Amino acid sequence: MEIENANFNAINFFTNWLDEARDKLGLKEIPMALASSSLDGIPSVRIVYLKDISKQGFVFFTNYNSNKGKDLIENPIVELNFFWEELERQVRVTGSVEKISPNESDAYFKTRPRKSQLGAWASKQSQILESRKVFIDRLDKVDKKYPDEVPRPENWGGFRVVPEQIEFWQMGEFRLHDRFISEKIDDKWIINRLYP
């Protein structure tokens, strides 16, 4: 695989790989590993779903009061990892995270199934739950409180990972992989090949 710096755009290149993954693997959701750390440097990684990608970055949604949300607000440096085993490809994205606008979060929240909307209100994400019944009771109360349209809770919304570096990895025979690292410098993507 050969990639040249001239007019290279890491987001466009990623989007091409993502489209291939969707087509060849039949992906309905796009899982990605999100790694963050607390201010104390304690790492945490979990799978979230990519909901939007643009030249500004990679968007996902969560509860801002969850452990994940708190980590992201306190220490906004993160890494994403996409791995498509069947395509023998991996992409690592390093950058900073920021909240998206309330209007963007509202627009996405309206597209969610009603039960997912109710769950965003009922869940005290990451807190100790005494029993499943307590959670179901909370769901029932929220359902009765909002019989029609369910508004977005203020503590729930989107984050955007603004990429500073994107690494593309294509598996090669005998572990002679193709690796490229692209860095955003002065609003331009510079790409270099890495040893496998």
Side-chain angles (χ1 to χ4, degrees), residues 88 169-178 196:
E88 301 180 330
W169 177 91
Q170 176 73 61
M171 183 181 282
E173 194 175 10
F174 306 112
R175 303 189 66 79
L176 304 177
H177 314 308
D178 267 333

PDB file of all heavy atoms in Angstrom, residues 88 169-178 196:
ATOM      1  N   GLU A  88      -8.356  -7.389   8.258  1.00  0.00           N
ATOM      2  CA  GLU A  88      -6.963  -7.313   8.709  1.00  0.00           C
ATOM      3  C   GLU A  88      -6.493  -5.859   8.799  1.00  0.00           C
ATOM      4  O   GLU A  88      -5.398  -5.499   8.376  1.00  0.00           O
ATOM      5  CB  GLU A  88      -6.060  -8.135   7.779  1.00  0.00           C
ATOM      6  CG  GLU A  88      -6.456  -9.599   7.725  1.00  0.00           C
ATOM      7  CD  GLU A  88      -5.584 -10.436   6.815  1.00  0.00           C
ATOM      8  OE1 GLU A  88      -5.054  -9.897   5.818  1.00  0.00           O
ATOM      9  OE2 GLU A  88      -5.428 -11.642   7.105  1.00  0.00           O
ATOM     10  N   TRP A 169      -3.169   0.724  10.037  1.00  0.00           N
ATOM     11  CA  TRP A 169      -2.408  -0.535  10.070  1.00  0.00           C
ATOM     12  C   TRP A 169      -3.111  -1.552   9.202  1.00  0.00           C
ATOM     13  O   TRP A 169      -4.302  -1.813   9.371  1.00  0.00           O
ATOM     14  CB  TRP A 169      -2.332  -1.015  11.510  1.00  0.00           C
ATOM     15  CG  TRP A 169      -1.657  -2.334  11.762  1.00  0.00           C
ATOM     16  CD1 TRP A 169      -0.338  -2.539  12.033  1.00  0.00           C
ATOM     17  CD2 TRP A 169      -2.278  -3.628  11.821  1.00  0.00           C
ATOM     18  NE1 TRP A 169      -0.103  -3.880  12.248  1.00  0.00           N
ATOM     19  CE2 TRP A 169      -1.277  -4.568  12.120  1.00  0.00           C
ATOM     20  CE3 TRP A 169      -3.590  -4.076  11.632  1.00  0.00           C
ATOM     21  CZ2 TRP A 169      -1.541  -5.924  12.240  1.00  0.00           C
ATOM     22  CZ3 TRP A 169      -3.862  -5.430  11.749  1.00  0.00           C
ATOM     23  CH2 TRP A 169      -2.833  -6.334  12.061  1.00  0.00           C
ATOM     24  N   GLN A 170      -2.381  -2.092   8.236  1.00  0.00           N
ATOM     25  CA  GLN A 170      -2.889  -3.159   7.366  1.00  0.00           C
ATOM     26  C   GLN A 170      -2.001  -4.377   7.563  1.00  0.00           C
ATOM     27  O   GLN A 170      -0.783  -4.294   7.385  1.00  0.00           O
ATOM     28  CB  GLN A 170      -2.845  -2.715   5.907  1.00  0.00           C
ATOM     29  CG  GLN A 170      -3.267  -3.778   4.903  1.00  0.00           C
ATOM     30  CD  GLN A 170      -4.763  -4.039   4.909  1.00  0.00           C
ATOM     31  OE1 GLN A 170      -5.554  -3.147   4.642  1.00  0.00           O
ATOM     32  NE2 GLN A 170      -5.167  -5.263   5.226  1.00  0.00           N
ATOM     33  N   MET A 171      -2.616  -5.500   7.946  1.00  0.00           N
ATOM     34  CA  MET A 171      -1.834  -6.702   8.195  1.00  0.00           C
ATOM     35  C   MET A 171      -1.114  -7.148   6.920  1.00  0.00           C
ATOM     36  O   MET A 171      -1.657  -7.056   5.822  1.00  0.00           O
ATOM     37  CB  MET A 171      -2.730  -7.835   8.693  1.00  0.00           C
ATOM     38  CG  MET A 171      -1.963  -9.113   9.044  1.00  0.00           C
ATOM     39  SD  MET A 171      -3.064 -10.451   9.595  1.00  0.00           S
ATOM     40  CE  MET A 171      -3.389  -9.926  11.266  1.00  0.00           C
ATOM     41  N   GLY A 172       0.122  -7.606   7.108  1.00  0.00           N
ATOM     42  CA  GLY A 172       0.897  -8.136   5.998  1.00  0.00           C
ATOM     43  C   GLY A 172       1.333  -9.562   6.276  1.00  0.00           C
ATOM     44  O   GLY A 172       1.419  -9.986   7.432  1.00  0.00           O
ATOM     45  N   GLU A 173       1.619 -10.315   5.228  1.00  0.00           N
ATOM     46  CA  GLU A 173       2.075 -11.685   5.377  1.00  0.00           C
ATOM     47  C   GLU A 173       3.394 -11.706   6.142  1.00  0.00           C
ATOM     48  O   GLU A 173       4.230 -10.808   5.984  1.00  0.00           O
ATOM     49  CB  GLU A 173       2.255 -12.320   3.988  1.00  0.00           C
ATOM     50  CG  GLU A 173       2.392 -13.820   4.025  1.00  0.00           C
ATOM     51  CD  GLU A 173       2.447 -14.422   2.624  1.00  0.00           C
ATOM     52  OE1 GLU A 173       2.562 -13.671   1.641  1.00  0.00           O
ATOM     53  OE2 GLU A 173       2.373 -15.659   2.541  1.00  0.00           O
ATOM     54  N   PHE A 174       3.576 -12.702   6.986  1.00  0.00           N
ATOM     55  CA  PHE A 174       4.777 -12.867   7.817  1.00  0.00           C
ATOM     56  C   PHE A 174       4.972 -11.686   8.788  1.00  0.00           C
ATOM     57  O   PHE A 174       6.086 -11.367   9.169  1.00  0.00           O
ATOM     58  CB  PHE A 174       6.038 -13.052   6.949  1.00  0.00           C
ATOM     59  CG  PHE A 174       5.926 -14.156   5.948  1.00  0.00           C
ATOM     60  CD1 PHE A 174       5.887 -13.869   4.594  1.00  0.00           C
ATOM     61  CD2 PHE A 174       5.809 -15.483   6.355  1.00  0.00           C
ATOM     62  CE1 PHE A 174       5.754 -14.880   3.652  1.00  0.00           C
ATOM     63  CE2 PHE A 174       5.689 -16.505   5.417  1.00  0.00           C
ATOM     64  CZ  PHE A 174       5.663 -16.197   4.065  1.00  0.00           C
ATOM     65  N   ARG A 175       3.877 -11.031   9.142  1.00  0.00           N
ATOM     66  CA  ARG A 175       3.887  -9.879  10.057  1.00  0.00           C
ATOM     67  C   ARG A 175       4.665  -8.700   9.479  1.00  0.00           C
ATOM     68  O   ARG A 175       5.151  -7.840  10.203  1.00  0.00           O
ATOM     69  CB  ARG A 175       4.412 -10.282  11.443  1.00  0.00           C
ATOM     70  CG  ARG A 175       3.602 -11.426  12.070  1.00  0.00           C
ATOM     71  CD  ARG A 175       3.958 -11.676  13.506  1.00  0.00           C
ATOM     72  NE  ARG A 175       3.592 -10.570  14.370  1.00  0.00           N
ATOM     73  CZ  ARG A 175       2.369 -10.314  14.824  1.00  0.00           C
ATOM     74  NH1 ARG A 175       1.351 -11.061  14.443  1.00  0.00           N
ATOM     75  NH2 ARG A 175       2.160  -9.300  15.627  1.00  0.00           N
ATOM     76  N   LEU A 176       4.757  -8.627   8.157  1.00  0.00           N
ATOM     77  CA  LEU A 176       5.387  -7.494   7.480  1.00  0.00           C
ATOM     78  C   LEU A 176       4.282  -6.491   7.134  1.00  0.00           C
ATOM     79  O   LEU A 176       3.935  -6.271   5.973  1.00  0.00           O
ATOM     80  CB  LEU A 176       6.135  -7.971   6.226  1.00  0.00           C
ATOM     81  CG  LEU A 176       7.181  -9.063   6.475  1.00  0.00           C
ATOM     82  CD1 LEU A 176       7.818  -9.509   5.173  1.00  0.00           C
ATOM     83  CD2 LEU A 176       8.246  -8.570   7.451  1.00  0.00           C
ATOM     84  N   HIS A 177       3.704  -5.910   8.194  1.00  0.00           N
ATOM     85  CA  HIS A 177       2.524  -5.065   8.067  1.00  0.00           C
ATOM     86  C   HIS A 177       2.849  -3.732   7.397  1.00  0.00           C
ATOM     87  O   HIS A 177       3.997  -3.290   7.376  1.00  0.00           O
ATOM     88  CB  HIS A 177       1.924  -4.779   9.448  1.00  0.00           C
ATOM     89  CG  HIS A 177       1.810  -5.980  10.321  1.00  0.00           C
ATOM     90  ND1 HIS A 177       1.200  -7.147   9.917  1.00  0.00           N
ATOM     91  CD2 HIS A 177       2.246  -6.205  11.593  1.00  0.00           C
ATOM     92  CE1 HIS A 177       1.240  -8.033  10.904  1.00  0.00           C
ATOM     93  NE2 HIS A 177       1.878  -7.486  11.923  1.00  0.00           N
ATOM     94  N   ASP A 178       1.799  -3.098   6.881  1.00  0.00           N
ATOM     95  CA  ASP A 178       1.874  -1.712   6.416  1.00  0.00           C
ATOM     96  C   ASP A 178       1.353  -0.828   7.533  1.00  0.00           C
ATOM     97  O   ASP A 178       0.215  -1.015   8.002  1.00  0.00           O
ATOM     98  CB  ASP A 178       1.005  -1.506   5.168  1.00  0.00           C
ATOM     99  CG  ASP A 178       1.770  -1.678   3.879  1.00  0.00           C
ATOM    100  OD1 ASP A 178       2.988  -1.448   3.885  1.00  0.00           O
ATOM    101  OD2 ASP A 178       1.142  -2.028   2.866  1.00  0.00           O
ATOM    102  N   PRO A 196       6.952  -1.904  10.658  1.00  0.00           N
ATOM    103  CA  PRO A 196       5.880  -2.743  11.228  1.00  0.00           C
ATOM    104  C   PRO A 196       6.254  -3.239  12.619  1.00  0.00           C
ATOM    105  O   PRO A 196       7.374  -3.140  13.045  1.00  0.00           O
ATOM    106  CB  PRO A 196       5.778  -3.897  10.228  1.00  0.00           C
ATOM    107  CG  PRO A 196       7.054  -3.919   9.478  1.00  0.00           C
ATOM    108  CD  PRO A 196       7.602  -2.514   9.508  1.00  0.00           C
TER     109      PRO A 196
END
